[in-house]
């Protein structure tokens, strides 16, 4: 994994490659094809969003990239190598709400991945501080999750995903439980963090607006069987701003995704 | 036991009122003092009883039975409960049966314990164990089920080993429910041992209480009731205090 990092030290490698991946769930009555011949390539440093109707397998695909689940056929490569089990050095995962440990403070939650590897306390505390600062939570480290708002909790989750400095950050509907305003703010925050760190981000969402607003590229999937039906490059300049939301380019892209999803649902 | 100073004072006032009512009913003769000796007399008797070697001996006998039954029932019940909760097949089979077993009054089995173990230490410990284990199994099952799948997935995604998952996710998730289980188990355990002692025993504090009752020694009986109540409440409150310290995050 390291050679690529040596070539571009400031922008660590983070290529994600999905090659002809299929996933079949065998139930007692029938075989269900969850993913059918899915191929996808995410170049290092890109922000790619997966959208699609419920049951299209977008979260399943993300879990395969995280090494949390194995495909029935095909290959998933992170930095050119398969990921048969979770590898926090290559991949950080940010889950939906309620994934923080409520008995740990914010900084202890962020330190969790480091604690698992036996990183010395002082080093781990320093890294957690840096990560919390990066997500805009400087000074909130001693608080427990129940003392934080929904948006702040997700910032802690992002910090936890980043603390080991993995080249790839996978996000599974991280803002789904937030209210609309917080969601938009968190989107901007995420883009700022992404720009500052140069991570490769693969982001799953139900929100078409969020998809277009955040992404370099939107990958649209269909349900039963889960397939990629379209890929859109979002050419809107960065930094993205709110007035882009009402523009023609934005509306056109969102409509195109919506037509796919309506057909599939 | 939270609450403002006012609430705490109110609670103390209620307890004092109960003792005052007790004292007054007895002193004025509204209730026959032979049936209800006054609170002050009973408390004085309590002091006297604590001096007696035979009473202290009975307390030690009961305490050793209670602790033995507890030390056997809690870990074993916890292990069985954990296995049931972790294995879906086992859980499907055992869970309704456990509910059946739990709903049966345990006291109807007491004569069988006497027949099998004879009157003595083993019978009382056995019956205390039997009274306790079902609640431990059921509470542990509930504790395991209180562990969130999301938290396990997080641990796995950051490469946690089985031991790390056990100590860093299962244990802290389960701790509040486990402490509660410990507390409630002790109530069942103490009830079981006291009942066994009162029903058929040659020693122990329950036996002593039964004897005082049969001999119409009301002062001694009431003193004994106060003593056991204070001990039971003290243990319960100790665990509750640990509970609140360990589960401040549970809101």
């Amino acid at each position: 994994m390291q050679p690529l990092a040596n070539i571009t030290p400031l922008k660590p490698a983070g290529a994600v490659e999905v090659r002809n991946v299929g996933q079949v769930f065998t139930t007692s009555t029938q075989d269900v094809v969850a993913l059918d011949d899915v191929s996808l390539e995410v170049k290092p440093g890109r922000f790619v969003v997966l959208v699609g109707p419920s049951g299209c397998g977008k979260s399943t695909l993300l879990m395969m990239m995280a090494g949390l689940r194995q495909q029935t056929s095909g290959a998933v490569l992170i930095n050119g190598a398969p990921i048969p089990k979770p590898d926090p050095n290559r991949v950080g995962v940010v889950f939906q709400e309620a994934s923080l440990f409520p008995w740990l403070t914010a900084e202890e939650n962020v330190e969790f991945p480091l604690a698992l590897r036996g990183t010395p306390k002082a080093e781990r505390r320093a890294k957690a501080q840096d990560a919390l600062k990066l997500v805009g939570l400087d000074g909130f480290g001693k608080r427990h999750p129940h003392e934080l708002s929904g948006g702040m909790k997700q910032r802690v989750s992002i910090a936890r995903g980043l603390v080991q400095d993995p080249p790839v950050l996978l996000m599974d509907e991280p803002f789904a439980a937030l209210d609309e305003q917080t969601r938009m703010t968190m989107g901007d925050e995420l883009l700022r963090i992404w720009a500052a760190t140069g991570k490769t981000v693969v982001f799953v969402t139900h929100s078409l607006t969020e998809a277009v607003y955040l992404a370099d590229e939107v990958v649209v999937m269909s349900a039963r069987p889960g397939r990629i039906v379209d890929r859109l490059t979002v050419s809107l300049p960065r930094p993205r701003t709110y007035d882009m939301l009402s523009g023609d380019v934005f509306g056109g892209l969102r409509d195109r995704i919506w037509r796919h999803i309506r057909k599939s649902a | 036991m939270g609450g403002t100073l006012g609430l705490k004072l109110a609670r103390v006032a209620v307890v004092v009122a109960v003792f005052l009512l007790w004292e007054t009913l007895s002193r004025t003769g509204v209730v026959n003092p032979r049936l209800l000796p006054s609170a002050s007399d009973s408390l004085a008797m309590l002091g006297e009883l604590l001096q007696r070697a035979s009473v202290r001996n009975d307390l030690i006998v009961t305490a050793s039975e209670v602790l033995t039954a507890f030390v056997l029932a809690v870990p074993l019940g916890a292990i069985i409960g954990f296995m049931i909760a972790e294995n879906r097949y086992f859980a499907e089979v055992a869970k309704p049966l456990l509910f059946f077993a739990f709903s049966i009054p345990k006291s109807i089995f007491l004569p069988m314990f006497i027949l099998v173990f004879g009157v003595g230490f083993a019978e009382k410990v056995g019956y205390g164990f039997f009274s306790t284990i079902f609640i431990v199994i059921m509470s542990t099952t509930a504790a395991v089920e209180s562990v969130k799948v999301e938290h396990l997935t997080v641990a796995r995604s950051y490469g946690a080993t089985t031991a790390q998952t056990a100590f860093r996710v299962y244990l802290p998730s389960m701790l509040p429910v486990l402490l509660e289980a410990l507390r409630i188990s002790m109530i069942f355990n103490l009830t079981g041992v006291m009942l066994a002692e009162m029903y058929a025993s040659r020693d122990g504090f329950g036996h002593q209480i039964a004897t005082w009752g049969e001999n119409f020694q009301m002062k001694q009986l009431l003193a004994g009731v106060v003593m056991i109540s204070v001990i039971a409440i003290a243990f319960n409150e100790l665990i509750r205090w640990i509970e609140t310290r360990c589960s401040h995050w549970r809101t």
Side-chain angles (χ1 to χ4, degrees):
Chain A
M1 284 43 359
Q2 292 313 309
L4 278 170
N6 291 340
I7 296 166
T8 49
L10 290 175
K11 273 203 169 182
V16 178
E17 229 185 311
V18 176
R19 280 193 203 149
N20 310 104
V21 160
Q23 172 82 320
V24 181
F25 294 114
T26 309
T27 67
S28 51
T29 48
Q30 67 197 70
D31 286 354
V32 180
V33 181
L35 289 172
D36 181 29
D37 195 24
V38 170
S39 292
L40 176 68
E41 196 186 329
V42 182
K43 293 208 166 63
R46 297 273 282 179
F47 198 124
V48 170
V49 177
L50 304 177
V51 292
S54 301
C56 71
K58 55 192 189 297
S59 285
T60 306
L61 189 58
L62 200 76
M63 292 304 108
M64 287 171 181
M65 295 174 188
L68 286 165
R69 189 176 265 192
Q70 291 307 306
Q71 61 279 9
T72 317
S73 58
V76 176
L77 307 174
I78 306 288
N79 287 356
I83 182 144
K85 62 182 177 62
D87 179 359
N89 285 320
R90 284 189 287 167
V91 171
V93 192
V94 178
F95 295 93
Q96 292 190 25
E97 51 149 1
S99 80
L100 294 180
F101 300 118
W103 55 86
L104 299 180
T105 61
E107 64 189 5
E108 286 166 345
N109 265 290
V110 177
E111 286 172 31
F112 182 79
L114 302 173
L116 292 182
R117 324 173 67 196
T119 308
K121 177 110 184 156
E123 185 186 338
R124 143 176 135 207
R125 188 55 42 107
K127 283 189 172 171
Q129 298 291 354
D130 289 347
L132 282 169
K133 197 177 284 181
L134 177 67
V135 299
L137 279 185
D138 206 8
F140 288 92
K142 300 285 182 234
R143 298 221 192 160
H144 281 84
H146 72 265
E147 298 167 310
L148 299 172
S149 69
M152 288 159 108
K153 280 185 220 172
Q154 280 315 75
R155 285 171 198 253
V156 178
S157 287
I158 295 171
R160 181 172 66 184
L162 290 170
V163 74
Q164 296 199 87
D165 203 22
V168 178
L169 197 61
L170 304 177
M171 308 184 81
D172 187 14
E173 298 188 47
F175 307 145
L178 303 178
D179 61 77
E180 193 61 27
Q181 280 164 300
T182 313
R183 193 174 185 148
M184 290 305 290
T185 316
M186 286 305 295
D188 283 333
E189 275 297 284
L190 177 61
L191 290 179
R192 177 185 66 73
I193 294 161
W194 171 65
T197 57
K199 304 288 179 202
T200 308
V201 177
V202 182
F203 188 105
V204 167
T205 181
H206 272 112
S207 163
L208 307 189
T209 305
E210 188 172 65
V212 177
Y213 189 74
L214 297 177
D216 289 325
E217 189 181 345
V218 180
V219 175
V220 188
M221 296 178 71
S222 69
R224 281 173 288 274
R227 281 192 183 123
I228 292 176
V229 288
D230 199 2
R231 308 173 60 148
L232 301 79
T233 302
V234 182
S235 51
L236 292 165
R238 298 199 185 260
R240 303 272 161 87
T241 55
Y242 291 126
D243 37 296
M244 290 176 187
L245 294 177
S246 51
D248 288 344
V249 179
F250 198 98
L253 288 167
R254 198 173 45 194
D255 287 350
R256 191 167 138 195
I257 302 170
W258 173 235
R259 276 196 294 275
H260 284 299
I261 289 176
R262 201 173 45 181
K263 219 186 304 171
S264 164
Chain B
M1 182 105 38
T4 61
L5 185 67
L7 282 173
K8 281 175 184 156
L9 283 176
R11 286 187 194 121
V12 171
V14 170
V15 175
V16 170
V18 167
F19 274 89
L20 278 179
L21 183 69
W22 174 5
E23 184 79 17
T24 319
L25 287 177
S26 174
R27 290 270 174 220
T28 55
V30 174
V31 178
N32 185 346
R34 271 167 53 77
L35 210 55
L36 184 73
S38 71
S40 51
D41 285 353
S42 302
L43 291 178
M45 176 55 77
L46 176 58
E48 196 185 308
L49 287 178
L50 286 171
Q51 308 295 319
R52 284 191 206 166
S54 69
V55 170
R56 278 191 295 205
N57 201 40
D58 279 329
L59 277 176
I60 289 167
V61 168
T62 303
S64 61
E65 287 161 1
V66 166
L67 286 179
T68 310
F70 198 63
V71 165
L72 291 174
V74 170
L76 195 67
I79 290 167
I80 295 173
F82 196 85
M83 276 161 49
I84 288 176
E86 280 298 275
N87 183 316
R88 186 175 292 178
Y89 177 76
F90 212 17
E92 295 280 335
V93 173
K95 253 185 164 175
L97 301 179
L98 270 172
F99 272 98
F100 295 167
F102 187 65
S103 57
I104 303 168
K106 306 294 171 289
S107 49
I108 58 174
F109 294 96
L110 186 48
M112 291 168 69
F113 277 85
I114 294 166
L115 290 174
V116 173
F117 292 105
V119 170
F121 186 78
E123 161 240 342
K124 290 180 279 183
V125 168
Y127 183 71
F129 174 88
F130 180 67
S131 307
T132 314
I133 189 144
F134 295 101
I135 189 74
V136 179
I137 294 173
M138 288 175 58
S139 311
T140 311
T141 312
V144 174
E145 280 162 4
S146 73
V147 179
K148 287 206 169 84
V149 180
E150 295 92 328
H151 291 155
L152 295 173
T153 310
V154 168
R156 208 155 69 83
S157 76
Y158 290 110
T161 63
T162 309
Q164 286 175 327
T165 308
F167 284 101
R168 291 178 180 272
V169 184
Y170 272 96
L171 197 62
S173 298
M174 288 167 60
L175 197 60
V177 188
L178 281 183
L179 282 171
E180 202 176 297
L182 211 61
R183 194 165 60 78
I184 294 167
S185 311
M186 186 48 114
I187 296 173
F188 278 76
N189 186 28
L190 194 54
T191 307
V193 170
M194 292 307 277
L195 189 69
E197 284 185 346
M198 290 170 73
Y199 187 77
S201 179
R202 279 181 291 270
D203 51 9
F205 205 77
H207 169 250
Q208 191 62 261
I209 282 189
T211 310
W212 286 328
E214 280 159 21
N215 297 339
F216 208 56
Q217 293 170 285
M218 294 310 286
K219 242 190 281 181
Q220 285 86 339
L221 180 62
L222 286 170
V225 166
V226 171
M227 195 192 305
I228 295 299
S229 305
V230 168
I231 293 172
I233 292 170
F235 179 83
N236 208 42
E237 289 307 306
L238 172 71
I239 303 290
R240 279 194 357 140
W241 179 74
I242 302 173
E243 254 176 80
T244 41
R245 291 195 51 131
C246 290
S247 54
H248 56 89
W249 49 268
R250 247 185 145 208
T251 45

